[in-house]
Each structure stands twice: as structure tokens, then as C-alpha cells.
Amino acid sequence: MAKTIDQDTLATFRFRAAIPVRWSDYDRLGHINNAKYFTYLEQARIDYFKEVSQWPWDLYSMVIAHISMDYATPILPGEQPVVLIKLTQMGTKSFRLENLIVSDKPGDEVLLYAQAETVLVSLDAQSGQAVAVPEPMRSRMLAYDQLQSAGA
């Protein structure tokens, strides 16, 4: 049975990235392969960092410290997945993103394909050592998702 997500929850996510589905994303069962969902999150994160934080990749990098996903509804042929992202926690050197993969259908019924959580750690691009999330990227992300800074 398809799982849906309510409009109030959707309204808490400002960032959205439509993900193009490729033929090679489908598996023998006729739906998107579960591993591709992580690729969709990766593409959306890149878009998020370009648009929201304007992350300076030549100076700072990041690494995923944790990622988890709960699958809800298979993505079937003809459906258009959209990844929603919001910052839920900003620490000193790390931050947490909540991710939803949903359908891009008009109307009130939006399918929930998956829900994920990603924790990223800020790194110095040269040394590879963990460093404080740099300003002004920290401020941009906090302001975008209207979140107060909380050390973690």
C-alpha cells in the first residue's frame, strides 16, 4: 500500500530538487533500485549546497558520518521523485539533514518513497581534518531553514 505524506509536513521543507530518472535506475522488479535512492540524495545535497550554502569546495570538504533510510513506497515507471532537504541540527563540526523522497504529483496526495537522515562533518580540503563548519555557510544554512545553532 502506498504511503502518503501530509501537507503540513511538506511545508516544513523549503528545499526541493526534482531528480531525473534514468532507464538504468530500474531493476528487474520494475521499480527504482534501492541503492539509487542514495544517489538521488547525493544529487540533491549537491544542489542544496550550491543554492543554500554556496559551499567553497576548494577550501572545505565534507564527509558523511552517518546515513540511514527508511523505504516507504516503491518508485514506479512514470513517477517523478523529488528530494526535500532541511537542516535539523547544526553542531560545531557537523550538521544533520533530514531528507524526504516524495512524488511530484499535483493535488493533496503526495507519495512518500523514503525518509532519510544524513550527518555530515566539515573538513579542511587540504588536510582532511575535521574543522568547524565555516562561516558564512553555517549562517546561510541556519537562516535558510530558520534553525537556531546548537552545538553538537
Side-chain angles (χ1 to χ4, degrees):
M1 183 167 158
K3 186 169 182 179
T4 60
I5 190 155
D6 64 88
Q7 293 296 324
D8 291 338
T9 301
L10 290 173
T12 66
F13 289 82
R14 286 186 62 197
F15 184 83
R16 55 185 286 124
I19 304 297
V21 176
R22 300 168 305 214
W23 175 253
S24 62
D25 293 350
Y26 291 96
D27 61 19
R28 289 191 67 187
L29 298 175
H31 54 69
I32 300 296
N33 182 277
N34 65 307
K36 296 297 181 180
Y37 287 54
F38 288 96
T39 303
Y40 295 170
L41 293 183
E42 178 183 47
Q43 181 59 55
R45 275 194 312 275
I46 291 167
D47 294 345
Y48 175 87
F49 293 127
K50 283 181 188 175
E51 182 179 323
V52 175
S53 72
Q54 300 163 17
W55 197 271
W57 295 104
D58 56 329
L59 301 174
Y60 300 98
S61 183
M62 63 182 73
V63 65
I64 293 176
H66 168 83
I67 189 166
S68 62
M69 185 177 303
D70 293 320
Y71 298 92
T73 305
I75 303 172
L76 301 173
E79 296 178 337
Q80 173 63 60
V82 174
V83 175
L84 308 177
I85 298 175
K86 72 176 172 183
L87 178 70
T88 58
Q89 184 179 9
M90 177 63 76
T92 303
K93 296 180 180 181
S94 66
F95 54 94
R96 184 179 310 267
L97 300 175
E98 183 177 349
N99 316 263
L100 298 179
I101 303 176
V102 300
S103 63
D104 191 19
K105 292 184 177 179
D108 292 331
E109 189 169 281
V110 175
L111 296 177
L112 174 64
Y113 298 127
Q115 184 168 2
E117 176 184 77
T118 309
V119 177
L120 297 114
V121 176
S122 174
L123 302 176
D124 177 274
Q126 300 252 331
S127 70
Q129 297 297 308
V131 295
V133 176
E135 290 290 345
M137 286 69 72
R138 166 190 291 278
S139 295
R140 287 182 187 131
M141 291 168 64
L142 288 167
Y144 186 84
D145 284 311
Q146 301 174 347
L147 188 70
Q148 299 297 315
S149 183

